[in-house]
Amino acid sequence: YIDAATAWLDGPAGILGRCLVTQNWQMGLDAVTGPILLPFPDSEIDSAVFTDAAGGDLDYWIDRRDQRLLLRPLAGFGRPAAITFTAGYGAPAEIPVAIRQAMLLLIAHWYENRAAVSPGTSPSALPVAVDALLAPYRRIRL
């Protein structure tokens, strides 16, 4: 249940749309056609290389706003790019308390409600507290 709760919350497929613990990611683009939106809002760029037609590196510009990190080469759209970045809160102990508490509630709920429906009871939705605890940390996807 711990692994399932982590998978439900963590990474680009998780409902939070962000990394829980520190993770290193790489992103390669065959051609840059506009600003690049990284998949996680709280990312730190380790390196970004935009290559011009002669194989030289181009400078880039970083714009942080509205939970988005945008990279844009200062010249040379249509060129390949390679980006490495780090995302996440840090070590497991650094994950915000509200997220850890929501995970504990979720794990307990799944343990107590292992079947979709138990005889003589109605289906049980997730505890309201899980959504309330996670709401401030959900990434707004545009």
Side-chain angles (χ1 to χ4, degrees):
Y1 297 118
I2 294 169
D3 290 342
T6 302
W8 189 64
L9 296 174
D10 188 43
I15 65 160
L16 293 180
R18 62 180 68 236
C19 297
L20 296 179
V21 296
T22 299
Q23 300 173 23
N24 297 316
W25 289 78
Q26 291 183 328
M27 178 186 222
L29 302 167
D30 292 332
V32 178
T33 57
I36 301 164
L37 176 61
L38 294 183
F40 307 114
D42 51 358
S43 301
E44 292 297 326
I45 300 196
D46 299 320
S47 71
V49 177
F50 297 90
T51 309
D52 65 14
D57 294 346
L58 296 171
D59 288 330
Y60 58 90
W61 172 67
I62 298 174
D63 181 16
R64 286 186 177 275
R65 63 176 108 144
D66 302 327
Q67 294 190 358
R68 298 180 300 159
L69 179 69
L70 299 171
L71 267 75
R72 185 171 60 189
L74 294 177
F77 278 112
R79 307 290 184 218
I83 303 161
T84 59
F85 57 96
T86 303
Y89 290 106
E94 296 175 45
I95 296 171
V97 173
I99 294 175
R100 289 187 284 155
Q101 183 62 39
M103 288 180 75
L104 291 173
L105 289 170
L106 185 60
I107 291 162
H109 173 77
W110 285 341
Y111 181 80
E112 294 293 325
N113 300 284
R114 287 171 275 212
V117 179
S118 299
T121 64
S122 60
S124 177
L126 289 177
V128 175
V130 171
D131 281 333
L133 288 166
L134 295 177
Y137 300 96
R138 285 191 181 201
R139 177 179 178 204
I140 298 169
R141 299 177 191 197
L142 302 173

